[in-house]
Amino acid sequence: MTAQALAEPHFSSLQGEANYWAARRHYPAQAIVDLAAIRDNMRHLVDVVNREGGATAVMGVVKADAYGHGLIPTALAALAGGATWLGTAQAREALLLRRAGIGPDRARILTWVNNPLEAPYRELIDADIDLSVATTTALEHIAAAAREAGRPAHVHIKVDTGFGRNGFTFENLHEATGSLVALRDEGVLDIVGQWSHLAVADAPSNADFVEQTEAQIARFEEFTARLADAGIEPRIRHLANTAATLSRPQIHYDLVRPGVGLYGYEADPDMGSPERYGLKPAMTLQAQLSSVKDVDAHSGLSYGRIYLTEDRTSVAIVPVGYADGIHRSASGADTLGALGERGRTMPGGPVRVMTKDGPRLMRVSGRVCMDQFIIDLHGMADDLGVSIGDTVALFGPGRGERYCEPTADDWARAADTISYEIFTCLRNRIPRLYEHATDVLDADDLSRLDPASIL
Ligand SMILES: *Cc1c(COP(=O)(O)O)cnc(C)c1O
């Protein structure tokens, strides 16, 4: 390993350090999640919504294994940062949170994606988990489960304000109000909330997006008025995702639901850098080079030969591929390669490589394979001081150009997707290791983590 290899993570103990080296022996790549960053991002979001002395609560959205960061550690760090709600898509994830010991006194939990005919409503009601209701079918099944449980189901009425996905339309709601009122009066339903979801992130430069959001807000208010006319007054209302939490104080209502912001990213990089919003990307994805060698000019790299080296150069293998969730669409084609013949280059996903002259940005060169990809070092490894076993970073907290440190947004650009997909796609062949866990969590909460994951 070269002297200037990437800095090692912060260890809380000798055991933490041992865990790190054990993970490196077993996995060629590691995702290091900074729980202090997650806590601080949540603190910041809590601060943002309460700036004007309001009393808005914050839900940490931890669906999809906390956007790939790990459900339980992330949820606990979000609570440490002041979240009082947690949100999951699937019922199973909500139940896992309760099973991990996060009781109703610590966090209300809302879950919203299921097949209403088979969803474990009884179990969810028993576990004191709030349910989204968006169809009359769900309403009937929730009511049946609540009767069986002998306690009211806490529900949030989801309304479709223009997303076109889940939620009652005006017409559906009109048909459902009779049952809603009857079930509430019977004591089967506790109508906690009215909620909806926004379709476009507020890129302030995009007038059409801003207008769409305005239209959704107007419909949301109209739903409130219609519910009130029917005698239904939910205790809380919520609409804001990360983008609206950061940029639209007028729709914070009683609760906001940031997801991507908790992980340190903006919904739309057009909004500006995470730093500008007081956020810090929590995940660093790193790997150790499994091979470094010299090749001739005009050597084809990887499947399909879409990348040919320009000069004699060194190439290195990064041992992660699409089976680990590295997007194949982040492959890199060179002007000399097949795509180049059509006059097009395609910059591959960025990788930070430490050379003896400091960090340099290299890129995926050729197609991403199942378990690995190649980077052209654009120079000789000996001169650059790059060797087998060196740690490289695919993305990290994004400390700016001076550090040559890519973010998940940079990978999203290379793969033609969004940061959300970059981290949710990372599979279980990449261990999640937690930095600053002992600073953020108390002994009780620490005991809820896999001990081998604590650095
Ligand atoms: C995912 C999700 C969120 C969080 O959205 P972000 O853009 O990640 O902040 C909020 N509400 C609902 C219903 C969601 O599905």
Side-chain angles (χ1 to χ4, degrees), residues 61 63 67 112 158 165 195-197 240-243 257-261 267 420:
V61 176
K63 64 191 182 195
Y67 289 40
W112 57 79
K158 183 100 187 241
R165 193 173 64 179
W195 74 308
S196 190
H197 194 42
N241 52 11
T242 296
R257 306 186 311 269
V260 81
Y420 300 60

Side-chain angles (χ1 to χ4, degrees), residues 163-299:
F163 196 108
R165 193 173 64 179
N166 310 116
F168 289 106
T169 59
F170 285 125
E171 203 183 321
N172 296 155
L173 189 70
H174 183 72
E175 288 158 11
T177 43
S179 321
L180 282 165
V181 169
L183 292 166
R184 179 199 60 195
D185 293 346
E186 188 193 328
V188 166
L189 286 191
D190 169 31
I191 301 176
V192 177
Q194 174 201 325
W195 74 308
S196 190
H197 194 42
L198 297 171
V200 288
D202 261 343
S205 55
N206 188 328
D208 185 44
F209 281 11
V210 173
E211 200 177 300
Q212 285 303 320
T213 302
E214 299 292 347
Q216 284 202 256
I217 297 166
R219 278 186 223 113
F220 193 66
E221 292 292 346
E222 176 63 22
F223 271 109
T224 306
R226 295 199 189 187
L227 283 169
D229 285 346
I232 300 169
E233 291 188 359
R235 290 197 293 285
I236 63 168
R237 293 189 297 163
H238 47 107
L239 178 60
N241 52 11
T242 296
T245 300
L246 294 172
S247 64
R248 281 193 178 256
Q250 64 278 27
I251 54 164
H252 287 164
Y253 297 110
D254 307 292
L255 174 67
V256 294
R257 306 186 311 269
V260 81
L262 181 58
Y263 309 101
Y265 283 88
E266 248 80 77
D268 185 339
D270 273 0
M271 286 176 68
S273 71
E275 237 174 350
R276 188 178 146 210
Y277 287 97
L279 300 172
K280 181 181 174 194
M283 185 191 283
T284 296
L285 180 60
Q286 64 173 38
Q288 286 75 41
L289 299 178
S290 59
S291 156
V292 174
K293 68 181 180 195
D294 301 339
V295 298
D296 289 332
H298 305 287
S299 297

